[in-house]
Amino acid sequence: MLGYIIRRVLWIIPVLFVVSLITFSLMHAAPGGPWDREKKLSASTIAHLNEKYGLSDPIHIQYLSWVGNMVRGDLGPSYKYIDRSVNDIVADGIGTTAHLGIMAFLLSVILGIPLGVIAALRHNKIPDYLATFVSVIGIATPSFVAAILLLVFFSVTLRWFPTHGWDGWAEPDTMVLPTIALSLFPIAQIARFTRASMLEVTRKDYVRTAQSKGLRERSIVVVHMIRNALIPVVTILGPLLAFLITGSFIIETIFSVPGIGRYYVTSIGQRDYGVIMAMTMLYAAAIAVLNLVVDVLYAYIDPRIRYS
Amino acid sequence: MSVSDDPSRVAGGPALTDLPDDVSVATEEGRRLAEQLADNRRHARKLLEVRNLSTHFYTRDGVVHAVDDVSFELDYGETLGIVGESGCGKSVTALSLTRLIASPPGKIVSGQIIFDGIDVLKLSNEEMRLLRGKKIGFIFQDPMTSLNPTLTIGYQIAESAKTHLGLSRKAADDRAVELLSKVGIPRSRERMGDYPHQFSGGMRQRVMIAIALACDPMLLLADEPTTALDVTIQAQILELIRSLSDEFGTAVILITHDLGIAAGMCHRINVMYAGRIVETGLVDDIYEAPRMPYAWGLLDSLPRLDEVKGARLRTIEGMPPDLIDPTSECRFAVRCKYVHDRCRSEEPELTPRDGEGHMARCFGTEPEGWIQ
Amino acid sequence: MPNRTEALEKPAVAVRRSASLWGDAWRRLIRNRLAVVGGVLVVTFFSLAILGPFIAPYEYQAQHLQEILANNNRPIAPFGSEFFLGTDNLGRDLLSRLLDGAQISMTVALVVQAVVLLIGLPIGAAAAWFGGRVDTYLMRFTDVIYAFPDLLFIILLSVAFRETFFGKAMNGLLLVFVAIGLTAWVGMARLVRGQLLSLKETEFVEAARAIGVSDFRIVTRHLLPNAMGPMIVAVTLGIPGAILAEATLAFIGIGAQAPRASWGSLVANGQPFLRSSPHLVIFPALAVATALISFTFLGDGLRDALDPKLKGKQ
């Protein structure tokens, strides 16, 4: 198992390398540059700026120097926010983005799994229909729509929650709406998968064996059914985490959450190369690590899986 | 609530004092059981009496009469075979005994099941649960799918001992180790922490047997316990079931489609066809002188070593009838070589034949019948 | 306890209907009420997308300021006026714009899945068929793409190449469609590979090989048709993801350029007027929601109908 984990961690390195290479090439292949403004800068100013930031070097030299700096922990300068380095921008926002993502993930699991389990245990009864209704709403509502509707209803009309900002646990009510808006879809997906998987497990021979042993209803459900039903659910957690991570920038934008996501779109438009590279790498690294965690978790709950 | 306090217990009959000689009194369990047996025989009680049991399935296409008016009895410590082709209702009969019929769509619509003096169909779900696993052990057909893949086999065996016998975790584990060695799994303590996928099919079926016997039940229901196994393993597993049921004095209902297996294991046999018992009797009587054309067919379709080389395996032509709307004819009539007009207009009853308790459902083999 | 019918021995039935796999699947599908509703809605959406320009009451980009201002004091006609669903803040008929949006969303559905099949199918099939090193390299490649944060990749492509010739094709939409497809094919490649690997070992393939059928023919004539069911399901269930991605991008201003509007950009445009004219957000949001639900229901129904074993997995 340890060998497997080490190999997977090492595998992340070439993945990130390829991701950085693709991102770098795409950005530089795209027309335009960081100095395009409404009011055109003079050719000599641009040449001067390019010289200063090394943008007139051959492309592979630029890439290698970016890699060299990154390995040393220097993500380079921002061309848009001249007074800030990319390290500052990332350091300012990453905590908030991670916090929002973790909150939304926990909420999705804590609500999604019980919803699915209850729906399956009360198959074709009212709790099942209610849970199905909730998951249909979750699937049908894009996070930006959910965010807008929550914002208008709970913040503007009812004034229960602030319309923007994020203060973490210092002011928990700032966290409520962004977290709900972000987790609506994952809740629905987890509930759907859990329900289908529970219904599948109900038909398994080993559940009949458990019944024939005269076990208590509760231990049949908890020990024999839920654990097995969660195995396929774990496999979708990886993609859902990726969804939460990359989806957070929409929510950050709508609720003005000071995370890193909201810089992404603007930095691409402005060809702020350093910020784009840093964001892409961060997101890719987070997805790779979280997928590894999910796979290890998978092996943990299914003894038939043994990585070697 | 304990099962034995149940008011639905049926009162005992006249006394019988003989101690049965087929129970080993070498072990503690054996002695205890011998006394219990003696007590039960004193009251001339059967371990199991099934009367007019009918189980239906309410499907989209109609009501399937899977088990139709089935009655039989089982003595303490006796081994009964229920034989028939797939879909004849033998598994549903076994599941009905422990009320494990999935509902919906299944439902026990009528009849009575008296187990050890208890009217099973009148028990609450909780009382029924206390009976399952504790007094009635179940072995299922496919050991590959009947064990929970995510739990250690030690846990799966100890589980029922903990639930029903109130054993501590430690004591239940010890019991599981003991059971594992009893069913012939070497290094049993080490293997407690293994998962089912680390065992072969035959070994898994041994684990299933250990689970079924964990609480020393009075009745073991073995539903095609060897069908999914290699032929060589089959014999070992059957031998294991026989020796353990002898040792513990457990009654066994062996469900199989293989008349040969039933003949080797059982005292008596019920032959089922299309939801009904069509012949019942002692093994020897049925094997030597079957009185129902379907049973002949079953016997004939067994391959024999003394058969002429190149001879074709004999089969029973045709398919069992639709159980959705049983007609008022003999259910085997469409496939029967000896069919007469009478068979098509009314259904025969189970009537006595030569031999102890030997009964058959066939006009042709009745004393005045045309098949002799 | 929920029911457990399948675990029981099914009583044998004398008359057995023999039917093809597809016939059986069709019967199972039309018995599934949600799937039928989803299917009907999907057909409706496609019809509206095709017929939109002919049945729309107005041109989607036409402004009707004079008519509106005659009855209102601002250019937004309310819901239920002579403009059936009202108009936006520039006096454009919302229903006509929604119909135009349907065309965008349904094109996304088709183009993205076409890209997915075009890339995922050959890669998955090649990996499974050649095995060995080819398989290793191809699967490593898909692993890398899988690790790419997909929405970011789409944004990167769409924004970076917005000003190029390709980026301007189809009013900025083609680029977005291709970008979405470029991130979505990994699942298809893995599915095809998995399906083919399991089919490759079956007897009918061995039989075909034994009589000297060429590799290409075995893959195209024997393997792919047998892997069709799961692929159809994956394609259908991939569509809501594509529609959602396009709407999300449009919401932040990437993709369809004015005056055309995707449902996502309609929501974004309506957002400032949400309190006074909620219809500007609600109807586009409902359109997205209905499309997402219909494809999901249809996909779920197809999955249950085509391969009961796939239930609960994806």
Side-chain angles (χ1 to χ4, degrees):
Chain A
M1 189 57 149
L2 191 65
Y4 170 79
I5 295 176
I6 292 171
R7 255 181 302 123
R8 280 287 301 267
V9 171
L10 292 178
W11 168 239
I12 292 177
I13 295 168
V15 167
L16 290 184
F17 169 72
V18 176
V19 168
S20 73
L21 201 60
I22 295 176
T23 312
F24 197 88
S25 326
L26 281 176
M27 279 319 298
H28 287 268
W35 320 120
D36 298 343
R37 299 287 146 88
E38 294 280 310
K39 194 163 153 266
K40 276 207 162 43
L41 298 174
S42 72
S44 66
T45 315
I46 291 178
H48 178 72
L49 284 168
N50 278 344
E51 197 60 43
K52 182 181 166 197
Y53 289 105
L55 292 174
S56 44
D57 295 342
I59 190 84
H60 62 277
I61 301 291
Q62 289 188 39
Y63 178 70
L64 288 178
S65 85
W66 177 82
V67 171
N69 288 334
M70 190 204 60
V71 170
R72 285 195 298 273
D74 176 9
L75 298 169
S78 160
Y79 308 125
K80 176 72 197 321
Y81 310 93
I82 297 292
D83 50 336
R84 302 173 77 196
S85 72
V86 177
N87 289 47
D88 291 342
I89 294 176
V90 168
D92 279 356
I94 186 131
T96 306
T97 296
H99 191 183
L100 173 61
I102 292 169
M103 295 282 292
F105 179 68
L106 290 181
L107 186 68
S108 320
V109 172
I110 290 170
L111 286 183
I113 290 177
L115 264 179
V117 168
I118 292 167
L121 291 180
R122 298 283 171 269
H123 186 41
N124 287 339
K125 301 210 172 71
I126 287 170
D128 187 15
Y129 296 132
L130 284 179
T132 307
F133 181 72
V134 170
S135 43
V136 167
I137 299 275
I139 287 162
T141 317
S143 56
F144 63 92
V145 173
I148 293 175
L149 295 179
L150 288 171
L151 196 63
V152 166
F153 193 66
F154 289 105
S155 301
V156 179
T157 309
L158 293 175
R159 295 179 188 278
W160 286 0
F161 300 104
T163 52
H164 63 279
W166 174 280
D167 274 326
W169 290 110
E171 252 181 86
D173 49 340
T174 57
M175 302 195 295
V176 175
L177 295 185
T179 307
I180 293 178
L182 188 54
S183 50
L184 214 53
F185 180 77
I187 290 173
Q189 283 292 47
I190 292 177
R192 253 158 50 90
F193 265 78
T194 308
R195 176 178 177 274
S197 176
M198 278 293 285
L199 287 178
E200 174 90 3
V201 165
T202 315
R203 289 187 283 263
K204 294 285 187 192
D205 287 353
Y206 55 76
V207 172
R208 189 178 55 183
T209 305
Q211 288 171 334
S212 79
K213 284 154 86 175
L215 304 177
R216 289 178 193 91
E217 183 75 26
R218 192 163 37 104
S219 61
I220 294 177
V221 169
V222 175
V223 179
H224 288 268
M225 291 170 63
I226 291 183
R227 191 188 161 107
N228 284 289
L230 287 187
I231 292 171
V233 176
V234 168
T235 59
I236 64 155
L237 291 184
L240 276 182
L241 275 164
F243 170 87
L244 279 178
I245 291 168
T246 52
S248 65
F249 76 89
I250 298 264
I251 301 298
E252 288 182 13
T253 310
I254 296 176
F255 288 101
S256 314
V257 173
I260 54 172
R262 60 204 177 111
Y263 292 109
Y264 194 74
V265 182
T266 46
S267 60
I268 296 178
Q270 290 156 347
R271 306 287 188 269
D272 199 345
Y273 299 134
V275 178
I276 300 165
M277 291 300 290
M279 303 275 159
T280 314
M281 298 301 285
L282 266 176
Y283 282 128
I287 290 174
V289 170
L290 291 171
N291 273 324
L292 170 59
V293 172
V294 164
D295 282 353
V296 171
L297 187 68
Y298 190 53
Y300 175 74
I301 69 168
D302 188 349
R304 284 165 297 184
I305 310 272
R306 279 286 169 261
Y307 301 119
S308 52
Chain B
M1 169 184 194
S2 137
V3 167
S4 54
D5 299 337
D6 194 270
S8 56
R9 257 179 184 281
V10 174
L16 269 178
T17 45
D18 298 339
L19 205 131
D21 49 22
D22 55 340
V23 172
S24 149
V25 288
T27 61
E28 169 122 22
E29 290 99 334
R31 264 196 303 280
R32 192 159 45 74
L33 223 114
E35 284 162 26
Q36 200 180 359
L37 273 172
D39 178 60
N40 287 320
R41 295 221 169 155
R42 254 194 305 278
H43 296 98
R45 209 157 61 194
K46 299 280 184 185
L47 171 63
L48 179 71
E49 291 168 62
V50 177
R51 296 186 195 130
N52 310 102
L53 177 72
S54 292
T55 303
H56 293 178
F57 286 87
Y58 295 84
T59 68
R60 201 189 305 275
D61 298 325
V63 180
V64 178
H65 300 239
V67 172
D68 205 355
D69 197 21
V70 162
S71 304
F72 62 92
E73 292 176 343
L74 184 68
D75 271 327
Y76 288 85
E78 186 185 1
T79 298
L80 170 73
I82 300 185
V83 185
E85 59 199 313
S86 51
C88 72
K90 55 193 195 298
S91 289
V92 177
T93 305
L95 290 169
S96 300
L97 295 182
T98 49
R99 296 194 358 210
L100 278 175
I101 296 292
S103 168
K107 190 168 185 249
I108 298 172
V109 289
S110 62
Q112 206 179 20
I113 299 169
I114 311 290
F115 173 78
D116 193 30
I118 300 161
D119 190 338
V120 168
L121 298 182
K122 287 196 177 130
L123 296 180
S124 70
N125 286 338
E126 182 62 10
E127 290 162 344
M128 188 64 229
R129 179 178 79 70
L130 293 172
L131 210 60
R132 285 185 204 129
K134 186 174 187 188
K135 305 265 176 159
I136 305 177
F138 225 123
I139 304 173
F140 292 104
Q141 173 172 352
D142 191 350
M144 308 308 263
T145 57
S146 296
L147 291 171
N148 190 324
T150 59
L151 297 173
T152 65
I153 56 135
Y155 182 90
Q156 296 189 55
I157 299 171
E159 201 180 18
S160 26
K162 263 189 295 192
T163 308
H164 293 298
L165 307 179
L167 296 184
S168 67
R169 201 194 152 145
K170 175 82 182 55
D173 280 353
D174 289 343
R175 170 100 182 124
V177 172
E178 183 199 327
L179 283 160
L180 271 182
S181 27
K182 266 221 153 68
V183 296
I185 290 183
R187 298 183 294 112
S188 49
R189 193 166 283 280
E190 293 161 43
R191 304 222 62 177
M192 288 280 288
D194 285 355
Y195 289 92
H197 70 273
Q198 291 162 296
F199 285 74
S200 68
M203 293 299 242
R204 286 191 218 189
Q205 200 58 300
R206 288 171 190 266
V207 173
M208 273 303 291
I209 294 172
I211 291 175
L213 295 177
C215 301
D216 194 2
M218 305 169 86
L219 172 62
L220 183 64
L221 296 173
D223 186 358
E224 306 248 11
T226 58
T227 308
L229 303 175
D230 287 348
V231 182
T232 47
I233 312 286
Q234 282 187 7
Q236 294 172 13
I237 294 293
L238 291 171
E239 184 49 41
L240 183 66
I241 293 176
R242 179 160 51 194
S243 66
L244 289 180
S245 64
D246 278 356
E247 182 180 336
F248 293 158
T250 316
V252 179
I253 294 183
L254 178 73
I255 290 155
T256 176
H257 60 267
D258 187 334
L259 202 52
I261 287 177
M265 290 278 292
C266 304
H267 303 125
R268 280 189 306 124
I269 287 178
N270 287 345
V271 179
M272 281 190 75
Y273 184 77
R276 290 217 190 262
I277 293 180
V278 291
E279 183 159 3
T280 175
L282 293 172
V283 166
D284 288 346
D285 290 330
I286 292 199
Y287 212 71
E288 296 302 325
R291 303 308 290 154
M292 163 77 197
Y294 176 65
W296 297 340
L298 277 185
L299 281 169
D300 273 352
S301 53
L302 291 178
R304 285 166 194 255
L305 287 176
D306 54 4
E307 200 89 53
V308 183
K309 234 191 189 163
R312 300 189 116 213
L313 280 177
R314 267 180 298 245
T315 54
I316 306 174
E317 296 289 327
M319 303 262 254
D322 194 336
L323 293 180
I324 286 178
D325 285 307
T327 45
S328 58
E329 60 176 6
C330 172
R331 294 184 186 184
F332 191 60
V334 281
R335 297 168 75 183
C336 186
K337 278 188 265 188
Y338 309 96
V339 63
H340 266 212
D341 287 345
R342 190 179 174 199
C343 308
R344 296 209 180 85
S345 57
E346 63 180 304
E347 191 179 357
E349 294 293 319
L350 267 177
T351 50
R353 300 292 191 275
D354 291 342
E356 185 197 328
H358 191 183
M359 313 238 277
R361 194 186 281 279
C362 179
F363 293 124
T365 62
E366 279 173 0
E368 66 278 16
W370 56 91
I371 317 171
Q372 292 304 334
Chain C
M1 208 73 245
N3 78 56
R4 221 190 32 228
T5 332
E6 274 81 342
L8 294 167
E9 220 175 308
K10 290 239 171 58
V13 173
V15 192
R16 278 166 219 224
R17 281 170 301 200
S18 69
S20 72
L21 172 74
W22 296 104
D24 269 352
W26 174 250
R27 256 192 302 279
R28 279 197 292 270
L29 185 66
I30 57 172
R31 272 210 304 250
N32 183 338
R33 238 174 290 156
L34 285 183
V36 172
V37 171
V40 169
L41 284 173
V42 163
V43 172
T44 312
F45 272 119
F46 276 114
S47 319
L48 288 178
I50 295 166
L51 300 175
F54 308 106
I55 58 173
Y58 304 95
E59 301 270 311
Y60 66 87
Q61 72 277 42
Q63 293 177 273
H64 308 278
L65 294 171
Q66 275 152 358
E67 296 99 304
I68 299 164
L69 288 170
N71 302 319
N72 300 277
N73 49 8
R74 53 191 193 129
I76 306 180
F79 166 63
S81 53
E82 73 259 44
F83 303 95
F84 185 56
L85 296 180
T87 65
D88 69 3
N89 57 316
L90 297 176
R92 295 177 295 196
D93 179 50
L94 185 59
L95 177 59
S96 310
R97 292 180 71 68
L98 280 174
L99 285 171
D100 184 53
Q103 203 168 50
I104 295 178
S105 283
M106 293 308 115
T107 318
V108 169
L110 294 181
V111 175
V112 169
Q113 294 308 319
V115 174
V116 164
L117 282 176
L118 231 60
I119 305 176
L121 194 69
I123 288 189
W129 190 253
F130 297 110
R133 205 172 287 173
V134 177
D135 185 22
T136 313
Y137 287 142
L138 286 176
M139 283 302 112
R140 282 290 144 89
F141 179 54
T142 60
D143 282 350
V144 174
I145 302 295
Y146 187 69
F148 228 107
D150 48 5
L151 204 50
L152 300 193
F153 183 64
I154 299 167
I155 295 173
L156 186 67
L157 278 178
S158 319
V159 176
F161 294 94
R162 188 146 57 182
E163 301 306 319
T164 62
F165 168 74
F166 187 65
K168 288 182 175 152
M170 280 174 70
N171 213 327
L173 287 169
L174 187 62
L175 177 59
V176 173
F177 296 168
V178 172
I180 298 175
L182 282 178
T183 58
W185 59 267
V186 175
M188 178 59 69
R190 289 185 172 175
L191 174 80
V192 170
R193 175 176 174 271
Q195 285 289 318
L196 294 197
L197 276 184
S198 60
L199 287 169
K200 205 173 143 183
E201 306 306 324
T202 53
E203 275 142 26
F204 68 87
V205 172
E206 272 174 32
R209 249 194 216 154
I211 57 170
V213 179
S214 75
D215 283 4
F216 182 76
R217 214 179 150 78
I218 290 178
V219 172
T220 54
R221 289 296 161 87
H222 294 264
L223 294 183
L224 288 180
N226 280 289
M228 274 307 258
M231 280 163 55
I232 292 174
V233 173
V235 164
T236 316
L237 283 177
I239 288 177
I243 293 179
L244 182 63
E246 191 278 331
T248 306
L249 290 173
F251 177 76
I252 57 173
I254 296 170
Q257 296 306 305
R260 285 203 82 168
S262 135
W263 292 338
S265 37
L266 288 177
V267 172
N269 295 341
Q271 194 188 350
F273 312 98
L274 185 53
R275 297 198 69 195
S276 54
S277 312
H279 66 274
L280 289 181
V281 167
I282 288 177
F283 288 114
L286 273 180
V288 181
T290 318
L292 295 180
I293 294 177
S294 344
F295 280 102
T296 306
F297 282 174
L298 178 63
D300 282 353
L302 282 171
R303 182 184 52 208
D304 295 350
L306 282 170
D307 192 353
K309 276 177 301 190
L310 270 176
K311 230 177 191 169
K313 295 171 194 114
Q314 208 169 31

